[in-house]
Amino acid sequence: AALAPSLRGIAAVAPKARTMRMLGSAALMLAYVAAGRGSAYFEADLAAWDTAAGALLVQEAGGKVTDASGVPYAPATTRQIVATNGAIHDELLTVLDAVDGARLDDDDDPSPDSSS
């Protein structure tokens, strides 16, 4: 369900990045951001068990974790995650927002109020 927005995000970010890595594990990618091995990670549809520990690592390392709108990360409600070293957060949000690259498409949104 999150493939289309993820691909849009990748297409928008790739020309501005030196390299992109996708390791298949949100926890590992967030740990890489926390350790400084990566500058950012974004994904359009994740559950708390995918992100909570890694988001804490990023925050404790001085990075920033929000949803696609820039609202601070909350495990119970954040499904669209953007995590960075902090220095590039606003720029990444702007790039992703331009293509809805970290937001689910309306027909893919699993939230109960998405039908209204």
Side-chain angles (χ1 to χ4, degrees), residues 32-87:
Y32 270 37
V33 172
R37 291 186 181 135
S39 299
Y41 173 69
F42 63 91
E43 186 66 52
D45 188 25
L46 294 171
W49 54 80
D50 296 316
T51 59
L56 180 61
L57 290 173
V58 172
Q59 292 166 334
E60 290 294 319
K64 190 168 184 180
V65 185
T66 68
D67 70 6
S69 299
V71 175
Y73 174 80
T77 58
T78 303
R79 295 193 61 89
Q80 300 131 2
I81 192 167
V82 179
T84 69
N85 58 14

Side-chain angles (χ1 to χ4, degrees), residues 3 10 12 17-18 33 35 43 50 62-63 75-76 80 84 93 96 104 107 111-113:
L3 181 60
I10 291 165
R18 188 179 77 180
V33 172
E43 186 66 52
D50 296 316
Q80 300 131 2
T84 69
L93 285 176
L96 293 173
L104 290 174
D107 56 339
S111 63
D113 64 347

